[in-house]
Amino acid sequence: MNDQTPWEDPAESRIASERVLVLDFGSQYAQLIARRVREQHVFCEIVRHDLPVEQIQKHAPRGLILSGGPSSVYDRAAPTCDERLFHMGVPVLGICYGMQLACQALGGNVDRSEAREYGPRRCQVLAACELFAGIPEALDVWMSHGDQVARVSDDFVPLARTATCPIAAVKHVRLPIYGLQFHPEVTHTPLGGMILRNFLMSACGCRGTWRLGDFAAETVQRVRANVGDARVICGLSGGVDSSVTAALLYLAIGSQLSCILVDNGLLRKDEKAAVIAEFSNHFRADLHVVQAEEKFLAELKGVTDPQEKRRRIGRCFIECFADEATRIKDARFLAQGTLYPDVIESGAAADGPAATIKLHHNVGGLPADLGFELIEPLRDLFKDEVRKLGVELGLPDDIVWRHPFPGPGLAVRCLGEVSRERLEVLREADAIVVHEIKAAGLYRDTAQVFVVLLPVHSVGVMGDARTYENAVVIRCVNTDDFMTADWSRLPYEVLARISSRIINEVQGVNRVCYDISSKPPATIEWE
Ligand code: XMP
């Protein structure tokens, strides 16, 4: 990750005027909390749970949210926070584990509940508090905990209870510290958004000034100031992240932008032409298309191991990109479409207990030592925010709502050895699926849809003749975050049309299957 990104410094940014930090104690919901806060137009970042107060102060937060987490506060190895934060005068909201931690630090007792409580509960509000302003006396909440606060000192007022959890919410009598045993960030707590809003607006005094439009304008200004009259290179893949990055840069520096599209021969049908057409419709910037199909195919010859495919494709991509980049005169900066979840997952921001490293997903990225200064204008945004930004910047729906496509492209969907002929079969079948899903109006309702070509042949009969041809699998999933996913319940008629078209129109395929595995335990891609 790049430490020197100039807009990392929150100093005079309007974003910084209303910033809330989520201290991550390993919650599966930490990102969700951050998104919910941003939905209230308050900028929010996830930081590690033990960030020292001096570092917290540098962010000048209006409020702190202590997330939930899988540990028990009384375990010796349990993640803790710098307890001085409770005395900073900055409002604190502890959620689940976060509440238990706050109560324990300030004079309460946390015990294991008699039964682990998981699921919907009816919650009774006991005392008036700004957190529950406008909330009825009884509300539905979502619980997920094994421990709970059993007793609090006189410094805390219990605010709510459920049948099994006598202290379901608390407020400190002198300090601006609040706790919720339930999860306001999940949709199963229908009034959770209002409770979070009350915390942000009433307790923290936020006004909700963060807007994506402002973000775009600020980013454009900062890019201009930072780049001066130097040239910036941006890799283009046709995906929403790189397109929005290019659009922002184009707004900022116009013709000082050079884009590079590497045609690795592993793209979808007509994709290269579509990217070039969209690019020239929207920008009058310099576009370099590197024709590298032969080079990639040669590299992949005889390779069947998925990780080896990824390694070779990654290496080849870097070589092609770097080679082209060195031909671009005066290039000093390299723009990348890194998103906030990438920053968190790579451990650069959170480095917390929930941070996982998905190394293989970095394939298609570029190493930090290419000799350019990095610009990552989207590194504070979630995917849905990038899409909204794309709409604001006037990018067409086709780009903004395009399903993600992996860096190694069709190679990881062509199981076994990758060859020009096999890629052609896969490409044709894939184009039919995408077309039919769009025609059925299902593209926006699904997160990813594609075809996998299996390395097996199956027996069939066509006319009076026996066939022995390829089998393909349709993979279609629904997911928000791509970390978990469910297979899409596509209507039978759509599946039937897809199957019939593939078998009739794609030479070399005589069998179509539908993948009904969820993630986990399966992954979205087959390799
Ligand atoms: P899995 O298969 O891990 O995929 O469930 C989750 C998401 O990541 C994409 N993916 C990749 N993206 N390089 C990429 O740029 C890769 O090597 C890679 N592998 C998986 C996948 O398409 C899905 O969106």
Side-chain angles (χ1 to χ4, degrees):
M1 272 301 113
N2 162 42
D3 293 331
Q4 325 88 302
T5 308
W7 41 68
E8 266 294 82
D9 178 8
E12 80 287 77
S13 157
R14 182 148 158 210
I15 289 174
S17 72
E18 291 199 343
R19 182 180 287 244
V20 163
L21 299 182
V22 175
L23 275 65
D24 180 12
F25 292 88
S27 170
Q28 52 177 324
Y29 298 134
Q31 287 200 30
L32 196 54
I33 299 172
R35 283 173 58 155
R36 293 281 175 261
V37 172
R38 289 187 186 191
E39 278 166 18
Q40 302 293 341
H41 300 291
V42 174
F43 188 69
C44 183
E45 276 185 296
I46 302 171
V47 296
R48 43 181 301 150
H49 58 91
D50 53 358
L51 201 66
V53 157
E54 292 74 19
Q55 300 276 339
I56 292 177
Q57 270 158 347
K58 281 192 187 161
H59 291 266
R62 285 287 176 97
L64 301 173
I65 299 181
L66 313 185
S67 83
S71 314
S72 289
V73 288
Y74 45 76
D75 285 350
R76 275 208 309 170
T80 54
C81 60
D82 181 340
E83 290 190 5
R84 293 176 297 162
L85 69 81
F86 294 118
H87 304 283
M88 285 170 71
V90 175
V92 176
L93 174 65
I95 297 177
C96 196
Y97 181 87
M99 161 173 162
Q100 295 160 16
L101 197 70
C103 289
Q104 192 187 51
L106 298 167
N109 254 337
V110 178
D111 281 349
R112 198 173 291 282
S113 322
E114 275 175 24
R116 197 172 181 278
E117 207 180 13
Y118 183 80
R121 291 287 180 277
R122 198 75 184 146
C123 179
Q124 204 70 38
V125 178
L126 304 172
C129 165
E130 55 272 44
L131 220 50
F132 290 110
I135 302 279
E137 266 177 33
L139 68 155
D140 292 324
V141 299
W142 185 262
M143 289 287 194
S144 172
H145 62 106
D147 299 336
Q148 61 187 26
V149 175
R151 275 175 303 285
V152 281
S153 67
D154 289 346
D155 284 338
F156 282 101
V157 187
L159 294 176
R161 58 171 296 131
T162 70
T164 47
C165 178
I167 307 177
V170 288
K171 176 184 179 346
H172 197 278
V173 287
R174 286 183 310 281
L175 304 170
I177 294 173
Y178 308 80
L180 298 172
Q181 181 57 66
F182 56 87
H183 289 270
E185 68 276 21
V186 303
T187 48
H188 309 289
T189 302
L191 295 174
M194 205 163 157
I195 297 173
L196 279 175
R197 186 175 169 78
N198 285 340
F199 172 69
L200 297 169
M201 306 302 160
S202 303
C204 304
C206 294
R207 287 170 300 138
T209 51
W210 189 64
R211 293 286 184 285
L212 273 173
D214 296 340
F215 173 88
E218 278 174 21
T219 306
V220 161
Q221 273 177 17
R222 266 178 280 173
V223 170
R224 260 185 213 146
N226 182 36
V227 164
D229 55 8
R231 182 156 286 280
V232 180
I233 300 178
C234 178
L236 212 59
S237 69
V240 59
D241 307 343
S242 68
S243 301
V244 172
T245 304
L248 267 177
L249 282 157
Y250 186 66
L251 265 182
I253 55 164
S255 59
Q256 283 162 251
L257 175 67
S258 288
C259 290
I260 299 180
L261 168 66
V262 176
D263 176 9
N264 56 11
L266 305 167
L267 302 175
R268 287 183 141 152
K269 188 175 179 184
D270 299 333
E271 197 159 18
K272 183 176 68 171
V275 174
I276 294 174
E278 277 153 7
F279 183 88
S280 19
N281 284 343
H282 284 87
F283 317 115
R284 265 179 238 299
D286 179 35
L287 174 65
H288 298 241
V289 181
V290 183
Q291 307 286 2
E293 183 184 11
E294 300 299 334
K295 182 176 164 78
F296 279 81
L297 285 183
E299 274 291 327
L300 290 170
K301 199 166 170 39
V303 180
T304 54
D305 176 67
Q307 290 306 71
E308 186 55 25
K309 282 184 189 173
R310 279 195 167 81
R311 268 193 289 278
R312 290 185 185 216
I313 292 168
R315 203 167 52 222
C316 225
F317 175 79
I318 292 165
E319 277 169 23
C320 293
F321 192 95
D323 185 49
E324 191 62 32
T326 51
R327 290 168 212 258
I328 299 176
K329 219 169 144 269
D330 298 332
R332 222 181 90 202
F333 295 89
L334 174 65
Q336 294 221 101
T338 314
L339 303 194
Y340 195 47
D342 307 326
V343 176
I344 298 169
E345 275 159 17
S346 65
D351 195 19
T356 26
I357 298 177
K358 290 205 276 175
L359 266 185
H360 74 277
H361 288 192
N362 294 338
V363 171
L366 293 159
D369 57 2
L370 276 187
F372 298 102
E373 288 176 54
L374 264 191
I375 298 182
E376 294 174 312
L378 309 182
R379 60 178 278 137
D380 284 331
L381 302 186
F382 289 110
K383 188 92 176 177
D384 55 337
E385 294 170 331
V386 172
R387 289 204 157 114
K388 281 187 202 145
L389 187 58
V391 173
E392 273 217 28
L393 295 175
L395 292 176
D397 278 5
D398 198 35
I399 293 184
V400 170
W401 296 104
R402 188 169 290 172
H403 287 176
F405 186 64
L410 296 182
V412 288
R413 296 174 178 174
C414 191
L415 273 53
E417 186 174 355
V418 178
S419 67
R420 196 187 306 274
E421 297 69 35
R422 297 193 74 221
L423 284 171
E424 208 40 47
V425 171
L426 177 55
R427 210 171 261 130
E428 290 301 317
D430 187 74
I432 290 174
V433 172
V434 174
H435 177 89
E436 289 301 332
I437 292 289
K438 283 185 177 168
L442 294 169
Y443 193 74
R444 288 270 285 268
D445 297 333
T446 49
Q448 226 170 343
V449 58
F450 56 90
V451 174
V452 178
L453 178 65
L454 297 183
V456 291
H457 281 57
S458 89
V459 174
V461 51
M462 244 180 208
D464 290 328
R466 174 188 190 273
T467 60
Y468 188 56
E469 290 179 330
N470 289 295
V472 297
V473 175
I474 314 297
R475 181 73 163 141
C476 186
V477 294
N478 288 63
T479 171
D480 284 331
D481 56 14
F482 296 87
M483 292 186 205
T484 61
D486 199 6
W487 57 278
S488 309
R489 273 47 170 186
L490 292 181
Y492 278 172
E493 316 81 71
V494 176
L495 285 171
R497 209 160 35 244
I498 287 173
S499 163
S500 152
R501 278 199 61 197
I502 290 178
I503 291 176
N504 282 298
E505 296 175 32
V506 183
Q507 268 222 320
V509 177
N510 68 357
R511 192 171 297 270
V512 175
C513 311
Y514 189 51
D515 183 346
I516 54 169
S517 332
S518 59
K519 172 184 179 176
T523 49
I524 296 174
E525 303 289 345
W526 274 49
E527 285 197 335

